[in-house]
């Protein structure tokens, strides 16, 4: 036989707050960077419009590879985070330097920026440019799978 159930104990402390994803965008094909100017960069990936609360967020971009094959020694390619709503560049968040002409330089890409956007709907994007039209610069993205390039991903999360 079992006895009566005892009183319920006190409620435990509230657990830590989780990160709430605001929005995300995935690309599954390689983005060729064609722009050679920071003022008019090539759009790589754009988040859908989302309603931000005015709280701090982290915007993060990742890809299997960021590549440059320079036309001249020392040429590079850069990526920046743009506030498309205000049409302004917020920060350069990635760069790759080519030090040997005709040789590909590859790096895994994982970059982020923490910011506090104004409350309301915003659109953010990753954009890129290279030093010269003769340079080859790309952000690799694919469909994923065991031996395939993985998708590139842009995510906004409350922090």
């Amino acid at each position: 036989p079992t006895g009566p159930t005892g009183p319920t104990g006190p409620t435990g402390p509230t657990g830590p707050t989780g990160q709430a994803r605001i929005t995300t965008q995935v690309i599954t094909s390689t983005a060729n960077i064609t722009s050679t100017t920071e003022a008019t960069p090539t759009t790589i990936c754009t988040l859908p419009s989302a309603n931000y609360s005015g709280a701090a967020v982290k915007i993060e971009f990742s890809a299997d590879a960021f590549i440059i094959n320079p036309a001249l020694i020392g040429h590079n390619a850069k990526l920046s985070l743009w506030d498309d709503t205000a049409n302004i560049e917020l920060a350069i968040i990635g760069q790759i330097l080519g030090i040997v002409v005709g040789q590909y330089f590859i790096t895994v890409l994982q970059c982020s920026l923490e910011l506090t956007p104004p409350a309301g709907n915003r659109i953010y994007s990753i954009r890129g440019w290279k030093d010269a039209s003769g340079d080859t610069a790309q952000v690799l993205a694919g469909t994923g799978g065991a031996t395939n390039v993985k998708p590139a991903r842009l995510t906004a999360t409350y922090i």
Side-chain angles (χ1 to χ4, degrees):
T2 54
T5 301
T8 300
T11 302
T14 302
T17 316
Q19 291 184 333
R21 180 174 291 162
I22 302 163
T23 186
T24 192
Q25 182 65 44
V26 173
I27 59 171
T28 57
S29 59
T30 294
N32 293 305
I33 298 170
T34 58
S35 175
T36 57
T37 62
E38 184 174 2
T40 57
T42 303
T43 300
I44 307 299
C45 186
T46 303
L47 284 172
S49 178
N51 189 3
Y52 292 83
S53 69
V57 300
K58 180 179 184 179
I59 299 182
E60 188 170 23
F61 184 62
S62 61
D64 270 5
F66 184 25
I67 297 173
I68 188 165
N69 182 350
L72 294 173
I73 293 172
H75 276 192
N76 64 64
K78 295 178 182 176
L79 298 176
S80 59
L81 176 64
W82 277 69
D83 178 336
D84 291 11
T85 307
N87 195 30
I88 59 169
E89 179 185 43
L90 299 175
I92 295 172
I93 61 171
Q95 179 175 347
I96 188 167
L97 176 66
I99 57 173
V100 178
V101 174
Q103 182 174 339
Y104 281 92
F105 292 86
I106 302 171
T107 187
V108 172
L109 189 61
Q110 181 75 36
C111 46
S112 64
L113 183 69
E114 294 181 7
L115 63 137
T116 304
N121 288 328
R122 309 297 294 177
I123 298 173
Y124 294 99
S125 66
I126 298 296
R127 301 183 189 185
W129 70 99
K130 57 189 180 177
D131 281 343
S133 60
D135 299 335
T136 300
Q138 300 174 312
V139 173
L140 292 189
T143 57
T147 59
N148 298 322
V149 174
K150 307 298 184 275
R153 182 177 308 274
L154 180 59
T155 303
T157 307
Y158 285 115
I159 52 174

